Amino acid sequence: MRTAGTPHRRGRVVVVTGASGGVGRATVRAFAARGDKVALLARGREGLAAAADEAERAGGEALVVPVDVSDAKAVDAAAQQVVDAYGHIDVWVNNAFTGVFAPFTEVHPDEFRRVTEVTYLGYVFGTRAALRHMLPRDRGTIVQVGSALAYRGIPLQSAYCGAKHAIQGFNESLRCELLHARSGVRTTMVQLPGLNTPQFDWVLNRMPGQARPVAPVYQPEVAARAIVHASSHARRREYWVGGSTAATLLANAVIPALLDRYLARTNVDAQQEEGRPEGPANLWSPADGPHGRDFGAHGRFDDESTAGGPQQWLSRNRGRLGVALTAGAGALAFRKLAGQARR
């Protein structure tokens, strides 16, 4: 962990919000393994301390900054603390979130507001803080960690889906403004599938069963690799991670009404299983706070989770794949025309 007077190692300066657990925790390790200097922003002190130790052991440098991202002034102060320590910010990853698993009519107004403040406004405030330091340098990358739910709402997660939709629209608007200004600052979004993270043991849950991700389930390291890749290839407007994400977004673009009926029939049961969560919800205070414990990056679904798949390669190489498909289609058309000419 960085202290005053510690010499800087080579590598980028990266800020990760929601760094104490789940995808944020895995992303911290992935950046640290590259030798980057990583600022860890989150509320949970136990998770932050453990994440910082992992980052140091992975070969990076960690700066712990406890903060609630729903507090705009605190996020600004956190960004300034990073700049004071490292001189600038190269990459800012917005990832922090919270949620409620319940029918919309059972989500209280203050709970809906809290999810929106953390999951949506936390991204807005983080982006503003990053831009304050990136725009004068005319360089830097902001990665918005999204979800298939940024395009496709599902039952029992109305507050979270609403926030992710809002992030999508906000980021598109910002991207257009940066392009108009011919800015060297980039923003991109990474849309994620269901992941094996601890969130399903600490979200506020009013379902009959214990919360779980919709299958297929991916390990958080899959998301982390995509986020690190996006941070270095931010000219792409977004990346889709996981075959389920691609299938959901494509189906939503083509047959949204049919998808409504399918999700209504299947996704209430698909998001829960037998049992009840043991720990307290983290909506108002972190589950890994002073009296909590470190939850790490993984949830309880290791046995059914996959660590990769071909879709992520396809997403990264979409342009190359398009050229190959076009060339293949052209070759097939040429052979067909040649055959017709011979007949």
Side-chain angles (χ1 to χ4, degrees):
M1 189 182 305
R2 178 174 166 75
T3 58
T6 303
H8 291 180
R9 290 193 284 267
R10 295 184 64 185
R12 296 183 299 178
V13 177
V14 181
V15 176
V16 179
T17 73
S20 59
V23 170
R25 180 73 161 264
T27 301
V28 166
R29 289 200 300 257
F31 278 114
R34 296 162 51 98
D36 291 334
K37 296 176 277 289
V38 189
L40 286 61
L41 276 59
R43 297 177 299 163
R45 294 177 184 272
E46 297 296 324
L48 280 173
D53 182 62
E54 288 180 354
E56 295 281 357
R57 286 189 281 112
E61 184 175 315
L63 175 68
V64 169
V65 186
V67 66
D68 186 330
V69 297
S70 69
D71 183 336
K73 291 184 179 179
V75 175
D76 282 341
Q80 188 60 55
Q81 187 173 340
V82 176
V83 172
D84 289 344
Y86 295 128
H88 61 275
I89 298 171
D90 295 306
V91 178
W92 186 291
V93 179
N94 282 313
N95 168 70
F97 76 95
T98 189
V100 178
F101 282 84
F104 170 70
T105 54
E106 297 180 21
V107 182
H108 302 161
D110 59 335
E111 294 166 350
F112 209 102
R113 180 182 299 109
R114 175 63 177 167
V115 173
T116 304
E117 288 173 346
V118 174
T119 309
Y120 171 50
L121 292 180
Y123 278 48
V124 173
F125 299 153
T127 300
R128 287 180 60 86
L131 290 175
R132 186 169 291 112
H133 298 282
M134 290 179 178
L135 289 175
R137 299 176 65 233
D138 196 34
R139 69 179 70 173
T141 299
I142 301 169
V143 181
Q144 318 285 16
V145 178
S147 166
L149 306 188
Y151 288 96
R152 175 66 250 181
I154 62 174
L156 303 176
Q157 294 199 54
S158 56
Y160 179 83
C161 290
K164 288 298 184 182
H165 275 65
I167 294 165
Q168 181 70 27
F170 145 70
N171 187 64
E172 288 175 346
S173 180
L174 171 62
R175 186 170 187 273
C176 291
E177 292 175 6
L178 293 173
L179 289 170
H180 172 77
R182 301 184 184 277
S183 174
V185 178
R186 307 292 180 187
T187 182
T188 188
M189 197 160 179
V190 180
Q191 313 294 15
L192 301 182
L195 295 159
N196 174 32
T197 68
Q199 65 154 308
F200 301 96
D201 291 326
W202 67 36
V203 294
L204 178 59
N205 178 15
R206 293 199 177 99
M207 300 186 299
Q210 192 171 11
R212 60 153 293 132
V214 177
V217 183
Y218 294 81
Q219 295 288 22
E221 286 78 14
V222 176
R225 290 194 296 270
I227 291 165
V228 171
H229 178 83
S231 73
S232 300
H233 303 82
R235 288 184 179 273
R236 278 273 300 277
R237 70 190 306 272
E238 67 178 26
Y239 291 84
W240 297 356
V241 180
S244 57
T245 299
T248 299
L249 299 188
L250 291 171
N252 191 61
V254 178
I255 48 170
L258 183 60
L259 193 56
D260 288 344
R261 295 181 180 277
Y262 172 79
L263 294 173
R265 187 173 67 251
T266 64
N267 264 49
V268 170
D269 291 338
Q271 293 182 80
Q272 55 188 311
E273 60 188 15
E274 291 185 4
R276 295 291 298 174
E278 298 179 359
N282 77 334
L283 186 63
W284 304 105
S285 59
D288 55 345
H291 304 292
R293 65 178 178 85
D294 171 36
F295 285 80
H298 286 211
R300 62 181 190 276
F301 307 99
D302 278 327
D303 290 346
E304 64 176 282
S305 299
T306 178
Q311 189 280 329
Q312 192 167 345
W313 183 91
L314 295 175
S315 180
R316 291 181 181 181
N317 296 275
R318 194 162 60 189
R320 190 184 309 171
L321 182 65
V323 171
L325 290 174
T326 300
L332 287 172
F334 177 80
R335 285 199 294 269
K336 183 177 180 181
L337 289 172
Q340 289 173 345
R342 287 194 296 268
R343 287 199 295 270

